[in-house]
Amino acid sequence: MANASSNHKFAIQKGLNARIPVLVEKPITLSYSDTLEMIQLAKEKNTFFGSAHVFLFSSYLKKFSTYISHLEAVKSIDIEWSDPKIEDRYGEKKFFDPSLPIFYDLLPHTLSILKVLLGKSSLEFKFLKFKRGGSELEIDFLLEEIDCNVRLARNSINRQRIVKIFNDDQLAIDFSIEPGFI
């Protein structure tokens, strides 16, 4: 069932209470406490409950990660992610939920991409800056010892999905049009 993010908790509860396995799109819920409550309910009902992080299963990102694994040391990573206000994808009009903050909407994608590419998960945030009234977000953080700069944008001119890996050289994947190119 597809629904607004604000209705996720209700839909998850309904499914879990009926002991129906639930796979939910990001964000799971709009609060940490609600998400913990749904995890507990899944345990009580002994029913599968998971979040759909589609990029964890992306063949082109897995292929790119093999190139990265051959690098001596990754020094830094830049991610550019932007979406137009409305786009035609797979024959359907796609648009974002303006009531959903940009970090709820796009950060789960970028973090799962980093997980696929590097397998690291320890984050230390350094800098966060909202721009254009909240439709752009720049985040700098350390992913273990690697400097990461992530720029997220909605209401952009075009769709952009670019990941750049820096060591002594640069390695990049652009999957703005999937599966993209390395």
Side-chain angles (χ1 to χ4, degrees):
M1 155 182 17
N3 61 5
S5 299
S6 58
N7 296 325
H8 282 188
K9 181 182 177 187
F10 173 76
I12 295 166
Q13 280 179 316
K14 191 170 182 167
L16 293 176
N17 280 324
R19 290 187 162 71
I20 297 170
V22 175
L23 181 65
V24 65
E25 172 65 300
K26 53 80 186 155
I28 296 172
T29 69
L30 297 181
S31 78
Y32 179 72
S33 60
D34 285 349
T35 299
L36 288 178
E37 186 181 328
M38 296 302 95
I39 291 168
Q40 185 58 40
L41 181 59
K43 288 177 183 176
E44 289 169 11
K45 299 295 181 177
N46 195 27
T47 304
F48 175 82
F49 169 55
S51 178
H53 291 279
V54 295
F55 289 108
L56 294 176
F57 307 98
S58 166
S59 60
Y60 52 87
L61 289 174
K62 287 181 182 179
K63 182 177 181 179
F64 186 55
S65 74
T66 62
Y67 289 104
I68 295 168
S69 69
H70 291 86
L71 298 175
E72 281 192 34
V74 174
K75 293 180 180 172
S76 65
I77 299 172
D78 285 354
I79 297 179
E80 292 280 344
W81 184 290
S82 64
D83 289 320
K85 186 172 186 173
I86 299 174
E87 69 178 316
D88 189 21
R89 304 253 319 133
Y90 311 113
E92 294 181 14
K93 293 286 183 207
K94 182 180 178 209
F95 53 93
F96 66 90
D97 178 353
S99 70
L100 191 62
I102 191 170
F103 51 88
Y104 277 138
D105 193 20
L106 302 179
L107 198 55
H109 291 314
T110 56
L111 293 177
S112 62
I113 288 167
L114 289 170
K115 182 72 173 169
V116 169
L117 297 182
L118 300 170
K120 300 177 185 301
S121 58
S122 176
L123 294 175
E124 180 184 330
F125 284 94
K126 299 183 337 185
F127 174 81
L128 177 105
K129 183 176 184 180
F130 288 96
K131 300 176 179 177
R132 292 190 323 128
S135 63
E136 284 186 23
L137 176 62
E138 185 174 338
I139 306 170
D140 289 339
F141 56 90
L142 287 173
L143 182 62
E144 297 184 13
E145 70 283 353
I146 301 168
D147 282 316
C148 298
N149 181 267
V150 177
R151 288 172 299 285
L152 308 172
R154 300 192 291 199
N155 289 329
S156 295
I157 295 169
N158 57 9
R159 181 178 203 267
Q160 202 171 37
R161 309 284 190 272
I162 301 170
V163 178
K164 295 177 183 174
I165 306 293
F166 298 93
N167 63 355
D168 294 331
D169 293 316
Q170 176 184 316
L171 184 61
I173 183 169
D174 182 340
F175 58 102
S176 303
I177 299 173
E178 295 165 332
F181 58 91
I182 297 172

